[in-house]
Amino acid sequence: AQSVTQLGSHVSVSEGALVLLRCNYSSSVPPYLFWYVQYPNQGLQLLLKYTTGATLVKGINGFEAEFKKSETSFHLTKPSAHMSDAAEYFCAVSEGGTASKLTFGTGTRLQVTL
Amino acid sequence: NAGVTQTPKFQVLKTGQSMTLQCAQDMNHNSMYWYRQDPGMGLRLIYYSASEGTTDKGEVPNGYNVSRLNKREFSLRLESAAPSQTSVYFCASSYISNQPQHFGDGTRLSIL
């Protein structure tokens, strides 16, 4: 069975600082991996995805994530945080088959301070 | 560009009442999903429909039923609401099951 662990339910960074949100996964087959962002009172929006190919994936709003198979990780980074990045971020894993489903982590709330 | 539309946006029910949450997508997606979101628990899958005419249970199906009315619409029904079903409910769709999902803005449901 697939699972996702997000380390840190709350992360606080200063504006302009590096953002690092951690995600580790478990999957019995090569996974598809996703990061979603949720702003208050809204649904989830896709930030980026990894399916196959290049392990460094670039997404919207300057975010990127690197798939590291040996570490079973898919951490999300952004070089310089902006106030507008404050939101909740969810990592999700799928086993990739045509009947597969997403399993979500419990989320990390990012706070950006001046 | 409506995407995924959920109705209603807010609802308050009394214990034992029934109601149906509606979801419609206009992206010609084959797969649709219902999730509930509770603090500290992420999103948990209630039911999904991989394609028109099929539905399957997810992680937390008890107390819910679904109907895939056609390719566009996927409804979630609470037959006898319980306080434990107080949550934010999200509908999502994807072209096929292993593709990124697009989410509606949610229905905030309180059961007293």
Side-chain angles (χ1 to χ4, degrees):
Chain A
Q2 60 201 32
S3 66
V4 174
T5 301
Q6 291 185 242
L7 294 176
S9 58
H10 290 85
V11 170
S12 182
V13 301
S14 300
E15 191 173 35
L18 171 71
V19 175
L20 171 61
L21 304 182
R22 299 179 185 273
C23 173
N24 289 88
Y25 70 90
S26 172
S27 176
S28 58
V29 300
Y32 287 12
L33 295 159
F34 306 83
W35 275 99
Y36 286 85
V37 60
Q38 184 181 31
Y39 299 103
N41 299 315
Q42 294 186 23
L44 279 69
Q45 302 173 30
L46 181 69
L47 271 180
L48 50 81
K49 65 177 180 178
Y50 168 79
T51 54
T52 58
T55 57
L56 181 62
V57 180
K58 295 186 183 300
I60 62 172
N61 301 339
F63 285 93
E64 62 182 35
E66 187 171 10
F67 170 61
K68 291 188 176 180
K69 183 179 179 181
S70 61
E71 299 178 7
T72 61
S73 69
F74 191 57
H75 302 330
L76 182 70
T77 61
K78 182 174 180 178
S80 177
H82 191 272
M83 296 296 288
S84 61
D85 295 326
E88 190 153 21
Y89 292 80
F90 292 92
C91 183
V93 63
S94 163
E95 292 189 341
T98 55
S100 62
K101 306 179 293 294
L102 286 183
T103 298
F104 286 88
T106 53
T108 297
R109 185 167 298 280
L110 177 66
Q111 181 182 18
V112 182
T113 59
L114 288 172
Chain B
N1 295 334
V4 178
T5 302
Q6 293 184 235
T7 56
K9 295 189 184 304
F10 303 92
Q11 185 71 47
V12 179
L13 294 178
K14 295 180 179 179
T15 297
Q17 288 185 315
S18 62
M19 82 162 294
T20 299
L21 309 185
Q22 306 286 354
C23 174
Q25 53 90 9
D26 62 1
M27 295 173 282
N28 199 34
H29 284 170
N30 295 290
S31 302
M32 299 186 73
Y33 313 83
W34 276 105
Y35 295 90
R36 59 178 289 172
Q37 183 178 28
D38 302 291
M41 303 189 75
L43 276 77
R44 293 182 291 169
L45 183 64
I46 304 171
Y47 271 93
Y48 67 103
S49 171
S51 61
E52 186 178 358
T54 69
T55 60
D56 285 288
K57 295 178 180 179
E59 182 184 354
V60 289
N62 291 344
Y64 305 94
N65 286 298
V66 291
S67 296
R68 183 75 182 265
L69 304 171
N70 48 55
K71 191 172 185 178
R72 292 186 62 249
E73 299 173 287
F74 188 40
S75 63
L76 178 72
R77 183 162 178 83
L78 287 69
E79 290 290 353
S80 179
S84 61
Q85 295 177 304
T86 293
S87 188
V88 182
Y89 291 85
F90 286 98
C91 177
S93 70
S94 63
Y95 182 65
I96 55 176
S97 294
N98 61 5
Q99 294 302 304
Q101 296 179 13
H102 297 253
F103 285 78
D105 285 338
T107 294
R108 286 150 184 81
L109 181 61
S110 293
I111 299 162
L112 307 176

